[in-house]
Amino acid sequence: MANILAFSETRLGELRRAGLETVTAARQVADATGGQVHAVLVGAPGIAQHAARLAAHGADVVLVMEHEAFANYNPEAITATLAARLESGYRAAFFAASAIGHDLVARVAAKMRLAYASDVTEFAFSGDAVAVAHPGYTNKIVQRFVLKATPALISLRAGAVLPVENAKAGAVEALTAAIDPTSVRVKVTLTEKAAGGKIDLGEAPVIVAGGRGLKEAANFKLVEDLAAAFGNAAVGATRAVTDDGWRPHSDQIGQTGRLVSPDLYVACGISGAIQHLAGMRTSKTIVAINKDKEAPIFKVADYGIVGDVMEVLPVLTEAVKAVKAGA
Amino acid sequence: MTASNGLFALIVAVAAGFFASNVQRLVGYLRLGRLDDSRWDNVPRRLYNLATIGIFQRKIFRDGIAGPMHAAIFWGFCVLTVGTSEFIVRGIVPTFTLAHYLPQWAYRFYQNSQDLWGALVIGAVAFALWRRLTHRVKRLQGAETHANDPLLILSWIGLLMVTMFLAESFEMVAFPQHASPYYRPLSYALANVLSFVPQDWAAFFRSLNWWSHGLLVLGFLNYLPYSKHLHVVASLPNVYLSNTSGPGQAGVMKYMDLEAETEQFGAKDVEHLSWKSLLDGFACTECGRCTAVCPANTTGKLLSPRKIIVNVRERLEQRALELQTAGSGRETAEGRPLLDGFISEQELWACTTCRACVQECPVSIDQLSVILEMRRNLVLGESRFPEEVMPAFESMEQRGSPWAFDPGERGKWADGLDIPTMAELAERGETADILYFVGCMGSFDDRAKKTTVAFAKIMKAAGVNFAILGREEKCNGDPARRMGNEYLYQMLARENVDTLAKYHVRTIVTACPHCMHQLGNEYPQFGGHYDVIHHSTFIAHLLAQGRVPLREELHAAVSTFTYHDSCYLGRYNQIYDAPRETLKRALPVVHLVEMPRSGDRGLCCGAGGGRMWMEESEGKRINAERAEEALATGAQAVAVACPFCMTMMRDSISSRDESVPVYDIAEVVAERLG
Amino acid sequence: MKLAVCIKRVPDMEGRFKIASSGTGIDEAGLKFDMSDFDGYAAEVAIQITEKLGAGEVTVISLGPDVVQETLRKALSMGAHRAVQLKHDAPVSDGLAIATALAAELKDGGYDLILCGRMAVDTQNRSTGAFVAELLGLPVITAISQLNVDGGVVKARRELEGAYELIECPLPAVVTIDEGIARARYPSLKGIMAAKKKPLEVKPAQVGAVTYQLEKMELPADRAAGRIIGEGKDAVPELVRLLKEEAKVL
């Protein structure tokens, strides 16, 4: 049977969790259809050190492409190389539905003149077709497609497949760049972590926001601590709070501030005035912590805790830290 | 006739000619404005305004100190003008005197009036100077004011009076046969004091003061067109020409023809304003009463309604020259337009359209229409507005509500309350007597929904046959119109008018003063004519008829209430008593305490004019100011009659004193339903 | 400088959607439509470039039935110079098929820069920009949050999860626009009037073969009505469990 390719994303020499998810997904398909999993690892010299972890998650072969020109993401060279490799006969290739993954899968598909499935939450292979589900209409609708292209190129939404250990040989093979990685048109000149954990509200997958229930500006520390524990969270505030000068106006979420829709929104001491709800209602999961159980925020929240934010937040922060440390 | 008479005649002729040419010049300036032919109708009403606001100084007296002072000077001027006229004619024809034409008693009365009012004017002018020089009266300050002009004018008026008295007195000294205590008693007394002056010297001083007085009068007349005191000439015409529309109609924004072939929507410069707005510039004497009551200005924002009007005149005088010299080969350098050159965007967006400035102006200037016309230019012409407003505009367009909520959920508050929609009734071949137009806040805001439900319950308890529109209802468009987006407003207004026509709606009730104002007062521009009743009036009416079954026992938790007036209910529609009446009927044992600023002086909550959808980061928050005023009354609860007031008051009160609740009047009544 | 912007007409995302009886589309009754958000940003960026240069031309292109003309007019009212409708009445779900039609129109246009939204907010496929670029043989930078075009070089920034990168490529090129660069302007009435007189061409679309077919649309399981999971700090372990296992956001 044909093999399955998994692109394992790295950044600044580190393997990303999404890189394990693609390998796990490929493993699931390979186990069902009987092919091998070929994980691709690209980066500056030394990136091969991560091959063992890919093997532990089910890679039969780890294809390593090391070069200084891969220290940053090098879309054209990687695209050319993967397209050439995939032409040799794979059933499918998995990418992460990340900024880089979205970019790469589209390029590879374009190069190979194939349609592809983006941001997939479910997939099922049968014969020459793959049935996939991917959310649309700002996640209000599940779209089910059939992809009849070989190889089936798929970008996988974070969390759709959780990394599972399933050790395989993971033989390391060198992958040669199909074009000179130093003479490409599109060049990434710098990759840098966002400064001081300051993630833009519009980009952050998690937002922790505070309202008047925090009683005073100094207590925003609790909100910041929880955001820091998530690692990928931004801090937001209600209009009442920014009006009182507890937080800068740029932090305001609501009709007159930022309109956001993160994966997780934690509302701390926020009652849920119309102005605020208009800015965050479309968040995928909403958690509310408020001492007034009649507060309108509980009507939009998926999970509510009735209680004093000052008491609940520190405990929640510790619990989140524990989960993150475990992952 | 002597040579001196001839000289005086010549001077009078030159002065009159010069003044006439200036008047002609200024009338020419007014012609640069846009056509407004709504100013010539309703003559009795205009004469009434002229008499009450103009002659009897009704609005001037709203200030207890400056009021009498100004009235003394103004009435003095009216009285003394008769004397001045006689004076001028006599200067040319020495034999002329009113004594020839009046019975003796009348002439004596006239002579006495000159002396007495002259003295009153001196007293008032002295007081005014003293007040200006020793007290920094807040409303008289401001970068836009011409601070030295009033000192000059007051001194000038004072000198006019002094020279008048001295000329009269020295005449009595020089010609004792003219002296009589029964005609000019004060001048006579002064003559007695001056009797030590030799007669020939007295004759000289009489001439000196006579000439001084004459020249000061003519100089004053010709100084006016160059001073803010053009006010003396322009105020009475301005009062006569002011908007005469009655309650509700006075605050209506002018219809705009969006299909008109024009490049200019709204006002960017003075020539885009109506000529009446330009006349406002001439009528303003910078008294600052408008700015002193402006909620934006008094909480530290840049906006000053007085500055808007002062700027209109300044720019008009500049722009008129530009336009007049254009193409003549000696063009005046182009100045910057009214917008940006004189008035910034920031000022215009700070306005809550509360109408306090218009209400307060003693000479019926309409500051608001300048601001709103300029907002129209900003939005329609230049697409310039605070960026946070964009979601509100987009949402009104996409979803028929300034809040980004699903229009399908508009009628959701009524779930389980057995309230039909017009569409449901129509399907069953039925109809309702009354349409309840709920409004966006009442439909989507959780706090306002409680008011909505309370009002609905009252109507049901009273057996009112009513229905709602449900998802067919759209925002009335008021936020869009007040923010200058006439295009969006007309779209919404027309859609609502069509929907209402479909169900043959005649009578509408609403708990939102903005909905009420739009549907009742502005929709006639689109052929929608309805009887629109605010819930305060409607509930008061139901209570008066005994149709609302109230429980006997009264909840005594709250014993004092203060009521916060909504601008669109109060100053726009003159509904001040109905909400208070409702509260009193619902809670006969409750004491109603008034805030210092209430009724037609009520302070805005800060949400009107689209401010609800804008940031307020400049100065103090208006609702904070109002909350403090409400709490200072010591009332145990605050009552409102507008969902926007509710949000603003509740936000600011709850952060100061959580124990003081804010209720809508409907909730207070519903609480006692049997 | 010649710029092209590919835009898509999409329904307003605030409403509650109903699936049409066909099962492969939404029930459009009562829905309002507008330009997809990211395409609006792209149009704004292109218009700003020509405004800054005081020269250049922005062409907006949309594929679909005649109703897309409304969306094209909106772009014109924002300040785009001309519009092209690639007329195609049936919905197309295959990004490659759509890109084929767009590329055919763009090929001989002599465009220096082609802009697309990062994705259409309805189908969320994210494929158009990359496909168009590849079909035209042009370099592409996707999902950018900053853009600077100077001396024949595009410099851009892309937001990554918790990081960012800076990217360059030569012109002509294709870029796809993320949020953060510019919000689409609100058309002035003047702009709306002017748009009525701007050229809008209608051409048949040369849609490619379809290998990615939408079979079915479903509404996700109803979001459980808000539930209160407990009081005070004792509720925290349960919250963390739910976030991990049910919501899968931790």
Side-chain angles (χ1 to χ4, degrees):
Chain A
M1 264 315 281
N3 298 328
I4 314 294
L5 189 135
F7 182 77
S8 289
E9 196 173 317
T10 62
R11 182 190 300 159
L12 298 171
E14 297 296 322
L15 184 61
R16 304 196 66 223
R17 179 186 158 105
L20 298 176
E21 292 178 356
T22 51
V23 173
T24 303
R27 184 75 257 159
Q28 284 175 7
V29 177
D31 285 349
T33 62
Q36 278 197 334
V37 172
H38 293 184
V40 176
L41 198 52
V42 179
I47 202 73
Q49 60 164 313
H50 300 298
R53 273 189 88 193
L54 300 181
H57 283 80
D60 298 295
V61 175
V62 180
L63 302 168
V64 179
M65 182 156 71
E66 288 187 335
H67 192 287
E68 282 305 338
F70 292 120
N72 291 315
Y73 174 51
N74 190 331
E76 292 186 329
I78 300 174
T79 300
T81 309
L82 289 184
R85 181 83 194 188
L86 287 165
E87 295 288 0
S88 70
Y90 281 84
R91 173 66 191 95
F94 285 97
F95 301 80
S98 59
I100 297 288
H102 280 310
D103 184 79
L104 187 58
V105 68
R107 286 172 185 275
V108 173
K111 184 127 231 142
M112 301 179 75
R113 303 289 192 273
L114 294 173
Y116 73 98
S118 163
D119 205 17
V120 166
T121 51
E122 293 169 39
F123 55 88
F125 283 73
S126 84
D128 65 345
V130 190
V132 299
H134 99 78
Y137 297 79
T138 56
N139 303 316
K140 288 180 174 180
I141 287 180
V142 179
Q143 307 174 102
R144 295 195 178 277
F145 290 87
V146 172
L147 178 60
K148 288 183 178 157
T150 305
L153 304 175
I154 293 170
S155 72
L156 208 54
R157 177 170 276 217
V161 173
L162 297 175
V164 177
E165 296 214 357
N166 181 357
K168 298 286 168 187
V172 174
E173 281 178 28
L175 184 65
T176 317
I179 60 171
D180 176 359
T182 59
S183 63
V184 287
R185 295 173 299 180
V186 177
K187 289 186 174 135
V188 175
T189 55
L190 176 78
T191 308
E192 195 169 70
K193 285 197 173 142
K198 259 278 191 190
I199 307 174
D200 184 80
L201 283 170
E203 301 284 339
V206 177
I207 290 175
V208 186
R212 272 258 175 72
L214 285 158
K215 297 280 187 235
E216 56 180 298
N219 291 333
F220 250 88
K221 176 84 173 56
L222 301 176
V223 172
E224 283 167 358
D225 288 349
L226 178 57
F230 277 107
N232 55 351
V235 172
T238 62
R239 177 163 164 177
V241 160
T242 55
D243 280 344
D244 281 356
W246 297 2
R247 299 292 297 183
H249 272 277
S250 57
D251 281 1
Q252 188 196 118
I253 292 170
Q255 172 107 8
T256 57
R258 298 288 298 269
L259 308 176
V260 298
S261 179
D263 297 331
L264 174 63
Y265 191 90
V266 186
C268 311
I270 291 173
S271 67
I274 190 168
Q275 131 81 18
H276 188 71
L277 297 185
M280 45 65 73
R281 248 166 5 109
T282 52
S283 303
K284 277 156 216 120
T285 300
I286 298 171
V287 172
I289 306 166
N290 198 302
K291 69 172 194 275
D292 173 14
K293 69 173 192 294
E294 300 294 323
I297 190 78
F298 286 121
K299 289 203 186 129
V300 300
D302 299 276
Y303 310 116
I305 295 183
V306 178
D308 185 354
V309 278
M310 256 79 83
E311 180 196 321
V312 175
L313 279 182
V315 181
L316 181 57
T317 302
E318 287 312 311
V320 170
K321 272 187 196 159
V323 172
K324 288 280 168 181
Chain B
M1 196 157 133
T2 64
S4 128
N5 295 136
L7 179 63
F8 186 68
L10 185 66
I11 292 172
V12 168
V14 170
F18 192 64
F19 179 71
S21 83
N22 259 325
V23 169
Q24 197 188 15
R25 172 176 65 90
L26 294 173
V27 170
Y29 288 3
L30 297 184
R31 287 179 189 278
L32 298 175
R34 287 202 169 159
L35 198 67
D36 176 1
D37 51 13
S38 66
R39 306 288 174 172
W40 310 107
D41 58 351
N42 213 347
V43 172
R45 175 80 210 178
R46 293 184 186 283
L47 290 172
Y48 173 79
N49 287 345
L50 188 64
T52 55
I53 300 172
I55 308 297
F56 288 101
Q57 308 264 290
R58 195 181 77 209
K59 285 182 167 181
I60 284 278
F61 277 109
R62 282 167 74 93
D63 181 329
I65 295 169
M69 180 189 88
H70 184 273
I73 299 176
F74 171 72
W75 288 332
F77 247 81
C78 296
V79 172
L80 293 168
T81 298
V82 182
T84 305
S85 308
E86 188 192 23
F87 173 93
I88 288 173
V89 179
R90 276 181 81 168
I92 301 164
V93 186
T95 53
F96 178 83
T97 164
L98 283 175
H100 295 162
Y101 304 95
L102 293 173
Q104 196 197 13
W105 65 267
Y107 185 69
R108 209 155 111 179
F109 177 77
Y110 152 69
Q111 286 282 323
N112 270 286
S113 71
Q114 297 299 302
D115 246 28
L116 292 172
W117 281 102
L120 269 174
V121 169
I122 288 184
V125 163
F127 174 74
L129 275 170
W130 170 78
R131 180 161 159 267
R132 279 200 182 255
L133 293 171
T134 60
H135 289 58
R136 279 183 64 84
V137 181
K138 194 159 172 281
R139 71 169 161 83
L140 299 176
Q141 316 301 318
E144 71 272 22
T145 59
H146 299 81
N148 293 324
D149 204 24
L151 299 180
L152 175 67
I153 286 288
L154 285 169
S155 312
W156 202 321
I157 297 172
L159 270 179
L160 274 173
M161 295 301 104
V162 170
T163 50
M164 176 187 87
F165 275 114
L166 287 176
E168 287 293 338
S169 300
F170 279 118
E171 166 134 5
M172 293 183 195
V173 176
F175 310 101
Q177 66 274 27
H178 293 167
S180 158
Y182 303 109
Y183 287 84
R184 289 203 174 235
L186 298 174
S187 302
Y188 181 78
L190 184 59
N192 282 339
V193 176
L194 297 172
S195 59
F196 64 89
V197 180
Q199 284 197 347
D200 47 348
W201 278 88
F204 169 72
F205 283 131
R206 183 244 161 225
S207 294
L208 182 67
N209 278 292
W210 189 94
W211 274 100
S212 303
H213 185 72
L215 294 176
L216 281 170
V217 165
L218 297 172
F220 187 77
L221 185 69
N222 279 296
Y223 176 66
L224 290 179
Y226 300 97
S227 146
K228 76 183 182 80
H229 288 273
L230 180 57
H231 155 80
V232 171
V233 182
S235 306
L236 293 179
N238 200 56
V239 169
Y240 180 84
L241 296 164
S242 66
N243 188 345
T244 59
S245 313
Q249 289 304 309
V252 166
M253 276 177 75
K254 244 189 293 170
Y255 174 76
M256 210 174 163
D257 182 3
L258 299 174
E259 299 296 316
E261 283 296 320
T262 171
E263 283 290 295
Q264 181 61 43
F265 299 100
K268 183 186 178 67
D269 211 340
V270 283
E271 67 265 33
H272 312 132
L273 292 167
S274 99
W275 62 265
K276 175 59 179 56
S277 292
L278 304 182
L279 181 61
D280 282 347
F282 293 156
C284 177
T285 190
E286 306 176 4
C287 76
R289 289 167 199 238
C290 51
T291 295
V293 295
C294 173
N297 186 275
T298 51
T299 55
K301 280 101 183 148
L302 204 55
L303 172 65
S304 158
R306 168 176 57 194
K307 176 175 173 288
I308 300 287
I309 297 301
V310 170
N311 289 159
V312 166
R313 179 172 173 187
E314 285 172 347
R315 173 60 183 156
L316 176 60
E317 298 195 343
Q318 190 185 73
R319 182 71 180 143
L321 289 181
E322 285 172 21
L323 291 173
Q324 283 167 356
T325 56
S328 69
R330 26 182 204 94
E331 281 89 349
T332 315
E334 288 251 334
R336 300 187 65 205
L338 187 62
L339 175 67
D340 298 330
F342 291 78
I343 298 171
S344 65
E345 206 187 321
Q346 189 187 357
E347 291 165 67
L348 297 170
W349 291 117
C351 176
T352 68
T353 70
C354 77
R355 269 186 90 71
C357 52
V358 181
Q359 172 81 36
E360 218 54 45
C361 182
V363 295
S364 302
I365 288 170
D366 187 350
Q367 299 88 339
L368 198 48
S369 67
V370 177
I371 293 172
L372 292 172
E373 283 301 317
M374 293 185 76
R375 282 188 176 185
R376 280 175 165 173
N377 167 68
L378 280 172
V379 174
L380 300 177
E382 306 186 29
S383 198
R384 278 165 66 186
F385 46 80
E387 70 170 346
E388 66 269 18
V389 166
M390 180 103 97
F393 282 165
E394 284 177 346
S395 196
M396 276 186 266
E397 192 175 329
Q398 292 280 318
R399 294 150 215 138
S401 153
W403 309 108
F405 282 84
D406 181 354
E409 296 190 358
R410 195 176 264 274
K412 219 176 163 198
W413 63 270
D415 283 357
L417 294 178
D418 187 28
I419 296 169
T421 61
M422 282 290 189
E424 287 162 7
L425 290 182
E427 213 166 276
R428 301 204 293 261
E430 294 169 26
T431 181
D433 302 336
I434 287 178
L435 171 77
Y436 178 12
F437 197 92
V438 182
C440 304
M441 282 292 274
S443 301
F444 295 117
D445 179 64
D446 278 307
R447 182 65 189 84
K449 275 193 246 175
K450 291 185 181 166
T451 303
T452 308
V453 171
F455 181 39
K457 282 184 173 163
I458 294 168
M459 286 197 287
K460 284 190 90 82
V464 175
N465 172 16
F466 72 100
I468 57 173
L469 287 173
R471 72 169 304 154
E472 284 186 281
E473 183 184 294
K474 292 233 151 79
C475 172
N476 65 64
D478 176 70
R481 190 170 227 196
R482 259 60 199 174
M483 289 194 273
N485 196 340
E486 184 75 5
Y487 182 72
L488 178 55
Y489 164 72
Q490 291 195 7
M491 201 161 85
L492 289 164
R494 291 207 160 91
E495 286 179 51
N496 277 324
V497 168
D498 287 348
T499 306
L500 295 168
K502 188 166 76 179
Y503 300 116
H504 310 289
V505 171
R506 290 182 184 285
T507 309
I508 299 173
V509 292
T510 177
C512 173
H514 296 262
C515 293
M516 173 204 175
H517 177 70
Q518 275 306 327
L519 296 165
N521 302 326
E522 303 201 355
Y523 277 21
Q525 293 174 357
F526 307 94
H529 298 274
Y530 324 102
D531 192 7
V532 185
I533 310 164
H534 187 249
H535 77 325
S536 58
T537 314
F538 194 66
I539 297 173
H541 183 66
L542 292 176
L543 287 170
Q545 287 186 325
R547 286 175 63 187
V548 185
L550 296 180
R551 267 185 292 112
E552 275 307 307
E553 79 278 21
L554 297 170
H555 77 113
V558 173
S559 63
T560 50
F561 257 99
T562 186
Y563 170 70
H564 161 83
D565 284 281
S566 144
C567 305
Y568 276 72
L569 201 56
R571 278 185 291 267
Y572 276 78
N573 286 288
Q574 262 80 64
I575 297 176
Y576 300 109
D577 297 335
R580 291 177 169 83
E581 185 64 17
T582 304
L583 284 173
K584 283 182 197 155
R585 282 186 185 271
L587 303 163
V589 297
V590 159
H591 184 50
L592 204 57
V593 289
E594 292 290 349
M595 288 183 255
R597 287 175 280 189
S598 71
D600 65 5
R601 293 178 197 253
L603 177 71
C604 178
C605 71
R611 291 290 322 162
M612 183 80 192
W613 295 273
M614 292 178 226
E615 288 288 342
E616 189 181 346
S617 47
E618 199 189 347
K620 181 180 184 176
R621 289 180 55 77
I622 294 171
N623 60 346
E625 171 89 1
R626 190 56 164 168
E628 283 161 15
E629 190 171 347
L631 292 172
T633 62
Q636 289 163 301
V638 177
V640 296
C642 165
F644 294 97
C645 295
M646 166 63 86
T647 300
M648 299 308 275
M649 294 301 284
R650 205 175 67 108
D651 269 8
S652 51
I653 286 181
S654 67
S655 70
R656 284 172 175 73
D657 186 347
E658 283 185 38
S659 70
V660 177
V662 183
Y663 295 114
D664 186 273
I665 53 165
E667 295 178 296
V668 177
V669 176
E671 179 69 21
R672 263 196 78 206
L673 281 180
Chain C
M1 190 158 170
K2 284 189 82 176
L3 300 107
V5 186
C6 305
I7 62 176
K8 184 175 184 188
R9 175 179 182 267
V10 300
D12 175 34
M13 291 295 151
E14 284 304 322
R16 243 169 137 51
F17 293 110
K18 275 187 260 171
I19 307 294
S21 52
S22 68
T24 55
I26 51 164
D27 180 358
E28 296 190 355
L31 288 181
K32 290 267 190 172
F33 287 78
D34 200 357
M35 202 182 309
S36 175
D37 299 19
F38 298 104
D39 300 349
Y41 309 150
E44 177 67 33
V45 168
I47 292 163
Q48 281 184 12
I49 289 173
T50 56
E51 283 175 348
K52 213 163 134 191
L53 291 173
E57 186 190 63
V58 176
T59 303
V60 286
I61 303 171
S62 188
L63 183 144
D66 289 345
V67 283
V68 305
Q69 289 181 13
E70 194 185 309
T71 315
L72 288 167
R73 288 277 177 219
K74 170 151 182 196
L76 293 174
S77 71
M78 287 168 64
H81 301 85
R82 51 184 218 95
V84 178
Q85 177 200 357
L86 298 177
K87 190 170 158 65
H88 190 84
D89 290 331
V92 190
S93 53
D94 186 317
L96 181 56
I98 295 166
T100 305
L102 291 171
E105 168 62 24
L106 290 163
K107 193 173 56 168
D108 300 318
Y111 297 106
D112 302 290
L113 187 63
I114 297 167
L115 302 93
C116 303
R118 171 166 78 86
M119 64 176 186
V121 293
D122 55 353
T123 48
Q124 296 182 203
N125 269 334
R126 302 175 175 82
S127 56
T128 306
F131 279 144
V132 166
E134 183 62 37
L135 293 172
L136 295 174
L138 296 178
V140 56
I141 308 179
T142 62
I144 62 175
S145 62
Q146 284 177 14
L147 174 68
N148 180 20
V149 182
D150 195 16
V153 177
V154 177
K155 290 188 177 174
R157 171 180 162 130
R158 168 166 46 216
E159 304 303 320
L160 308 175
E161 301 75 21
Y164 69 94
E165 55 191 18
L166 302 181
I167 313 156
E168 306 181 358
C169 78
L171 285 178
V174 178
V175 291
T176 78
I177 306 292
D178 197 356
E179 62 192 340
I181 293 190
R183 284 165 84 167
R185 74 187 60 186
Y186 192 80
S188 68
L189 186 54
K190 243 182 187 168
I192 294 169
M193 298 299 191
K196 291 180 182 167
K197 295 174 187 149
K198 289 181 181 173
L200 192 158
E201 258 182 283
V202 182
K203 301 177 178 177
Q206 302 165 21
V207 173
V210 172
T211 54
Y212 188 51
Q213 184 64 49
L214 179 66
E215 296 279 305
K216 205 169 135 202
M217 274 188 179
E218 290 168 7
L219 294 176
D222 245 346
R223 189 163 164 162
R227 65 188 145 131
I228 295 200
I229 54 171
E231 294 199 4
K233 59 177 191 267
D234 300 340
V236 167
E238 173 65 1
L239 174 64
V240 171
R241 188 189 69 78
L242 289 165
L243 291 181
K244 238 163 82 178
E245 292 169 18
E246 197 177 271
K248 294 190 177 150
V249 285
L250 194 60

